[in-house]
Amino acid sequence: ARCFTHTHTQTHTGFLYNLFADPDIIRLPTPLAPLQGIIASVISKRRAPKSRAAYESIGGGSPILNYSNAQADLLCQSLKSRYGIDVNAYIGMRYWHPFTEEALDHIRKDNINALVIVPLYPQFSISTSGSSLRVLQEEFAKNVNWYGPEKMVHTVVPSWYDRPGYIKAMADLIQNELDSFTDEEIAEAGDVKCPKHILFSAHGVPQSYIEAGDPYKEQIQKCVAKISEALPKEQDGVKIHLSYQSRVGPIEWLRPYTDDVLPELGQAGIKNLVVVPISFVSEHIETLEEIDLEYRELAQESGIQNWRRCPALNTDTTFIDDMADMVMEALSEPVQTVTEACVANNVGDVELQTLDERLGITGVGGVGGGDPVAARLREKERINGRVAMIGVAATIMVELLSGQSITHLFGF
């Protein structure tokens, strides 16, 4: 997960620096790679005051770490009560405390010999789960004596957007919001046949990521389709839409954009709308500030009078129990290492063969190790990844020149 909980300028700057210094987020062309730290430093110092202001608008900090810790505690309780097993749960953040490396220190000190890695992103993206898994991969490779297969077996659940419990939990929360519309609100709806509308707003990524093999868009679409199956249909008076939020810079992002769709719905006379943040499992800056403040204001200005926002899953019991089921299933299935998860999801520039040899991994299901398919994927992603990230480099240049915010891209 990604996290930020404080509003001090120095802390904001450090968090932003770690974010922009990540080559999985901003991978500059090779000749510019030595400038990554300089660029990250300049952007982080310029963006810190605006970032602090955004957090102050939601009470001074993000609740995401509190929710993540609560989810971890409840997961342990569910595994104990429903399966009779005692487990430890560890939270590792990508860009601020507790860092992934800090979580690994606790894991090592606790002498853990079996580890299930669960990114708190339902859908996989190279820039989110992929970046986090790469950190684990590097740490495992550097510390084979601590984390190698003879010391600790690990397996990854790279995505879980189609889990039955997750789908049910999301559908139930959305249905609660649909049921909250009053008879008066339904009567004043501009769309008589469909008086209620749902807008799934997913976190956006540059289109170039998708062209480089990122499975995110496809997983979002499948996820929305599965949740929609559990909800009322158009003949029942409910219409569903999908859009992508948080775009920045001059490059093409996944469309349609949320800030385009909301005015379009308003122009169509839509009055009753439930907005669903589909990429997140905890409340944080993008639900509490971007959606609740910015998008709600845009919707009301566009004529959408009756706004509802579906809450994040947070500590929903159905969601927590399904996570427990997922962990148990992962323990009983063939392992998928961090390397194999990266290959299967087209995370580029991973030194697969070298890492596998160092960890003694031969591959699962024909992926990884010395498999020629993996070799072709490595070469393909080295090329595609670099081409895709040139567009991101252009975005950074615009940030430096224009002062436009890029912070919403990465969920803080």
Side-chain angles (χ1 to χ4, degrees):
R2 290 179 182 162
C3 158
F4 193 73
T5 57
H6 303 289
T7 58
H8 301 298
T9 299
Q10 185 176 3
T11 307
H12 274 267
T13 303
F15 172 82
L16 295 173
Y17 177 85
N18 293 332
L19 176 71
F20 294 122
D22 180 5
D24 280 311
I25 298 298
I26 301 170
R27 189 175 306 163
L28 300 174
T30 301
L32 298 179
L35 301 178
Q36 181 110 28
I38 297 174
I39 292 174
S41 180
V42 171
I43 297 176
S44 61
K45 290 177 181 177
R46 291 186 59 186
R47 299 260 57 89
K50 293 183 178 180
S51 177
R52 185 175 66 254
Y55 279 98
E56 289 175 349
S57 73
I58 61 170
S62 171
I64 189 171
L65 181 56
N66 290 336
Y67 278 122
S68 297
N69 284 327
Q71 290 163 351
D73 291 341
L74 291 171
L75 172 63
C76 293
Q77 294 175 27
S78 181
L79 286 167
K80 176 64 174 178
S81 64
R82 298 171 64 242
Y83 291 100
I85 64 171
D86 292 306
V87 302
N88 294 342
Y90 305 87
I91 298 296
M93 300 289 181
R94 183 65 181 87
Y95 302 115
W96 203 245
H97 302 284
F99 289 112
T100 300
E101 295 86 345
E102 296 174 52
L104 287 176
D105 285 342
H106 290 296
I107 289 169
R108 175 175 56 83
K109 292 175 182 177
D110 289 344
N111 294 314
I112 300 300
N113 56 25
L115 182 67
V116 178
I117 301 166
V118 182
L120 287 179
Y121 307 101
Q123 307 86 14
F124 189 100
S125 175
I126 293 170
S127 63
T128 54
S129 301
S131 176
S132 298
L133 292 180
R134 197 189 298 260
V135 171
L136 287 170
Q137 183 188 48
E138 292 171 354
E139 290 298 312
F140 290 171
K142 289 189 298 184
N143 301 287
V144 177
N145 292 336
W146 296 341
Y147 309 120
E150 294 183 0
K151 181 68 175 179
M152 183 185 74
V153 177
H154 76 269
T155 189
V156 179
V157 182
S159 63
W160 37 274
Y161 63 92
D162 54 354
R163 293 282 313 174
Y166 166 73
I167 296 299
K168 183 180 187 308
M170 288 297 302
D172 288 347
L173 289 174
I174 297 168
Q175 187 63 57
N176 288 340
E177 298 303 317
L178 290 173
D179 293 341
S180 72
F181 288 114
T182 66
D183 292 339
E184 291 78 10
E185 289 172 332
I186 294 174
E188 65 185 20
D191 189 338
V192 177
K193 293 183 178 179
C194 288
K196 303 177 185 180
H197 287 248
I198 300 170
L199 176 61
F200 288 91
S201 185
H203 196 287
V205 299
Q207 178 64 32
S208 57
Y209 279 51
I210 307 305
E211 294 169 357
D214 193 323
Y216 178 73
K217 179 182 179 181
E218 180 181 4
Q219 291 186 6
I220 283 288
Q221 292 173 335
K222 290 181 177 179
C223 179
V224 170
K226 283 184 172 293
I227 296 172
S228 299
E229 291 175 0
L231 294 171
K233 309 298 186 291
E234 284 195 41
Q235 58 266 33
D236 303 312
V238 177
K239 188 170 183 178
I240 292 172
H241 313 265
L242 170 63
S243 62
Y244 297 89
Q245 66 185 75
S246 310
R247 84 185 191 278
V248 293
I251 60 176
E252 183 73 9
W253 285 55
L254 289 179
R255 289 178 180 268
Y257 304 139
T258 299
D259 53 7
D260 287 340
V261 171
L262 288 172
E264 291 172 359
L265 293 176
Q267 292 171 7
I270 305 306
K271 303 299 181 183
N272 304 318
L273 181 67
V274 177
V275 176
V276 182
I278 192 59
S279 303
F280 317 111
V281 298
S282 301
E283 303 293 356
H284 67 304
I285 192 72
E286 292 197 7
T287 60
L288 300 174
E289 195 270 341
E290 186 173 17
I291 294 179
D292 286 357
L293 299 181
E294 296 180 21
Y295 287 155
R296 180 171 186 165
E297 181 180 4
L298 176 61
Q300 292 174 338
E301 290 175 350
S302 301
I304 300 172
Q305 299 174 355
N306 306 313
W307 167 279
R308 303 288 192 277
R309 201 265 287 174
C310 179
L313 289 166
N314 298 324
T315 56
D316 179 90
T317 300
T318 301
F319 164 57
I320 296 296
D321 286 345
D322 190 60
M323 287 187 68
D325 295 340
M326 178 170 62
V327 169
M328 289 301 299
E329 291 169 15
L331 288 171
S332 63
E333 294 174 351
V335 301
Q336 184 176 34
T337 67
V338 290
T339 293
E340 292 157 355
C342 287
V343 175
N345 291 280
N346 294 331
V347 177
D349 253 350
V350 181
E351 296 181 5
L352 297 168
Q353 188 171 11
T354 300
L355 179 63
D356 287 350
E357 289 174 350
R358 292 166 71 178
L359 293 183
I361 297 168
T362 58
V364 174
V367 180
D371 182 32
V373 174
R376 289 195 297 273
L377 276 171
R378 287 197 297 272
E379 182 60 25
K380 173 178 177 288
E381 293 312 318
R382 285 192 181 99
I383 297 171
N384 287 347
R386 288 187 173 92
V387 171
M389 296 310 162
I390 289 175
V392 179
T395 301
I396 300 308
M397 295 303 107
V398 169
E399 164 76 26
L400 290 172
L401 294 174
S402 68
Q404 278 191 328
S405 172
I406 194 172
T407 54
H408 275 156
L409 168 57
F410 306 112
F412 56 87

